[in-house]
Amino acid sequence: MIPIEPCPKTIATALHGIMSDIKTLEKDSENSFQKYNYVDVDSFLKALNPLCSKHGLTIFMNEKSCNIVGDAKKWLHITYEFILVHSSGDTWLQPIQKNMFVQMTGGQSLGASQSYSLKQFMRQVFLIPTGDKDDLDAHEQNFQPKKKEYQNK
């Protein structure tokens, strides 16, 4: 097991302050193709940038690796590393990683991957409520195999 670096008190205090101040983010964007509403990355940044500034926290996002996978359809597997730094200079030396797979369709693939990974990182670290129902409780939990129906000919 890899040891976890202790979080500096300044960063822990900043995280606590941001979590105390953050409000539910409204789903203000619509995916018209798949017919659902979501919170876009700009809404996350508009909500969090002032709070991070207020509490002295900076997030650094680095692309750690990027690999092409797949045969007919090419996918990018990108690993991002996030580092938290306080305005005092304290750095939490425990990087947090996020993996993302996106279909390789051009430069937008990288931007979409970066935006989604950053949103998920912020949602995870600050426990931001968005009203999303993307956990298992929102899905059907019937694990019984479907019965096959046979017709006699």
Side-chain angles (χ1 to χ4, degrees):
M1 188 157 129
I2 299 171
I4 295 175
E5 291 289 330
C7 183
K9 186 175 181 178
T10 54
I11 293 175
T13 301
L15 290 171
H16 180 269
I18 293 166
M19 290 171 69
S20 296
D21 290 347
I22 193 72
K23 305 289 186 243
T24 298
L25 299 181
E26 299 299 322
K27 295 180 185 181
D28 55 359
S29 296
E30 179 185 353
N31 180 319
S32 57
F33 180 70
Q34 294 181 332
K35 308 282 190 243
Y36 66 89
N37 293 332
Y38 65 98
V39 181
D40 65 28
V41 71
D42 283 346
S43 295
F44 272 84
L45 295 173
K46 285 177 191 174
L48 280 167
N49 283 351
L51 296 177
C52 285
S53 179
K54 173 183 172 183
H55 295 282
L57 192 67
T58 301
I59 299 168
F60 288 98
M61 179 180 188
N62 301 311
E63 184 180 306
K64 188 171 180 182
S65 66
C66 181
N67 298 297
I68 298 172
V69 294
D71 292 326
K73 289 185 178 179
K74 300 293 184 194
W75 291 80
L76 294 176
H77 173 216
I78 306 170
T79 302
Y80 295 99
E81 182 177 80
F82 297 88
I83 305 210
L84 301 175
V85 178
H86 190 262
S87 59
S88 67
D90 288 342
T91 301
W92 191 12
L93 298 176
Q94 181 67 43
I96 300 167
Q97 291 186 7
K98 289 284 177 203
N99 287 282
M100 178 62 58
F101 287 88
V102 292
Q103 191 170 1
M104 192 168 70
T105 58
Q108 290 291 34
S109 299
L110 292 172
S113 171
Q114 184 181 38
S115 294
Y116 194 78
S117 295
L118 181 59
K119 277 183 9 178
Q120 292 305 312
F121 167 79
M122 290 185 291
R123 188 169 177 209
Q124 172 191 355
V125 168
F126 302 113
L127 303 178
I128 301 170
T130 62
D132 283 345
K133 304 209 179 330
D134 57 359
D135 59 32
L136 286 178
D137 290 331
H139 297 275
E140 182 180 338
Q141 298 294 314
N142 182 355
F143 296 106
Q144 300 298 319
K146 291 184 179 181
K147 294 180 182 177
K148 293 184 180 180
E149 294 182 23
Y150 296 96
Q151 293 179 338
N152 292 332
K153 293 186 180 182

